[in-house]
């Protein structure tokens, strides 16, 4: 299984290089030494963000008031992300990305889109759930790494990201008014929701 994934990762990087439309940067596979250095930082920061957001969400939902909880997500998710990023010197960007976004600030750029495609392809091919993915990006001003950690939904998420038919009318109403182009619905528990991206300096 490991071997199959390894082969797929290598093939995927060949695909990445051929699909990269930005001539100013080059995306490549990190070396083993680079992986050993980047992995612990990416993992720690991604988990920190996940836990911090989850705690905030649980506290917001404790009162049972969804209107309040949605407003807290709207106001606090991005500032919390910035605060978590600032805890680690080597982190130059931290972001949640997904194809089906609610907040347009979380839309993927062309490099992040390639990472989302990597996960989509692996899920489709092997029914495999890779734990993370690392890109090395080299540009005019040097290189950096993008560490990606997948986000999956659980039952708690569905009250705001579930199918329209299963969501509370008031919740739908608030979401429609705050996010007119909202795509982040229709999920079931255990679905792949998107990625946390931790950008780390070389
Ligand atoms: C109370 C409603 C609510 C619940 C419950 C909720 N979310 Fe969200 N979620 C939001 C709102 C509002 C946004 C948009 C604001 C933001 O976070 O940037 C959002 C955004 C997101 C994003 C960023 C991508 C995007 O679509 O903009 C991810 C990823 C996400 N949620 C995952 C989850 C997961 C996983 C759970 C369950 C653990 C969850 N959410 C539970 C309301 C909710």
């Amino acid at each position: 299984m490991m071997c199959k994934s390894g082969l797929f990762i290598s093939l995927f990087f060949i695909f990445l290089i051929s699909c990269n439309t930005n001539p100013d940067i080059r995306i490549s596979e990190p070396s083993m030494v680079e992986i050993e250095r980047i992995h612990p930082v990416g993992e720690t920061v991604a988990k920190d963000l996940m836990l911090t957001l989850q705690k905030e969400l649980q506290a917001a939902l404790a009162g049972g008031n969804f209107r309040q909880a949605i407003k807290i997500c709207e106001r606090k998710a991005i500032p919390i992300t910035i605060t978590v990023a600032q805890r680690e010197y080597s982190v130059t960007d931290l972001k949640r990305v997904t194809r089906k976004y609610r907040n347009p600030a979380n839309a993927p750029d062309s490099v992040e889109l390639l990472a989302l495609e990597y996960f989509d392809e692996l899920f489709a091919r092997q029914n495999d759930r890779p734990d993370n993915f690392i890109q090395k990006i080299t540009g005019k001003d040097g290189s950096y790494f993008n560490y990606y950690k997948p986000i999956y939904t659980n039952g708690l998420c569905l009250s705001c990201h579930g199918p329209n038919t299963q969501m509370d009318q008031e919740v739908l109403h608030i979401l429609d008014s705050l996010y007119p182009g909202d795509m982040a619905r229709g999920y079931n528990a255990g679905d792949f929701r998107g990625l946390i991206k931790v950008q780390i300096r070389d």
Side-chain angles (χ1 to χ4, degrees):
M1 184 62 102
M2 274 310 289
C3 207
K4 238 172 129 187
S5 300
L7 176 66
F8 178 77
I9 290 170
S10 300
L11 288 174
F12 192 79
F13 272 102
I14 295 169
F15 166 78
L16 275 191
I17 291 158
S18 53
C19 289
N20 175 22
T21 49
N22 185 343
D24 296 331
I25 57 163
R26 194 170 69 86
I27 305 168
S28 59
E29 194 175 351
S31 69
M32 285 310 289
V33 174
E34 288 167 337
I35 293 173
E36 272 171 32
R37 180 158 53 87
I38 297 307
H39 182 273
V41 180
E43 194 65 15
T44 305
V45 174
K47 281 193 175 148
D48 189 3
L49 179 61
M50 232 182 265
L51 277 177
T52 311
L53 285 174
Q54 237 167 53
K55 255 194 234 158
E56 194 71 37
L57 184 63
Q58 268 157 2
L61 286 172
N65 183 339
F66 275 91
R67 175 185 290 270
Q68 193 68 18
I70 293 169
K71 294 267 179 199
I72 288 174
C73 287
E74 185 211 5
R75 276 200 309 267
K76 288 198 172 175
I78 302 283
I80 285 175
T81 308
I82 294 168
T83 308
V84 171
Q86 285 167 346
R87 289 178 193 157
E88 177 62 54
Y89 163 76
S90 59
V91 170
T92 47
D93 188 30
L94 180 63
K95 192 180 161 189
R96 295 160 301 152
V97 290
T98 175
R99 285 174 193 276
K100 288 169 62 184
Y101 50 86
R102 169 162 293 162
N103 181 350
N106 303 321
D109 65 21
S110 61
V111 175
E112 294 159 353
L113 197 59
L114 291 172
L116 284 164
E117 278 168 10
Y118 165 79
F119 281 89
D120 287 343
E121 287 246 356
L122 263 189
F123 293 145
R125 270 165 180 252
Q126 300 175 326
N127 205 17
D128 191 3
R129 295 204 148 192
D131 181 69
N132 63 76
F133 179 57
I134 308 176
Q135 295 166 322
K136 179 175 185 177
I137 295 122
T138 311
K140 287 194 296 285
D141 307 321
S143 51
Y144 59 90
F145 299 88
N146 279 348
Y147 182 91
Y148 297 94
K149 185 92 186 154
I151 305 167
Y152 300 101
T153 50
N154 58 41
L156 176 70
C157 320
L158 303 187
S159 37
C160 296
H161 294 291
N164 275 349
T165 49
Q166 287 170 35
M167 279 200 281
D168 182 273
Q169 284 303 313
E170 199 199 348
V171 168
L172 283 173
H173 180 69
I174 304 166
L175 289 174
D176 283 340
S177 61
L178 285 176
Y179 302 99
D182 184 17
M183 292 186 273
R185 297 187 198 167
Y187 287 94
N188 293 302
D191 282 350
F192 174 54
R193 172 75 177 85
L195 298 168
I196 290 180
K197 181 195 81 171
V198 190
Q199 186 174 296
I200 302 164
R201 60 174 106 238
D202 196 354

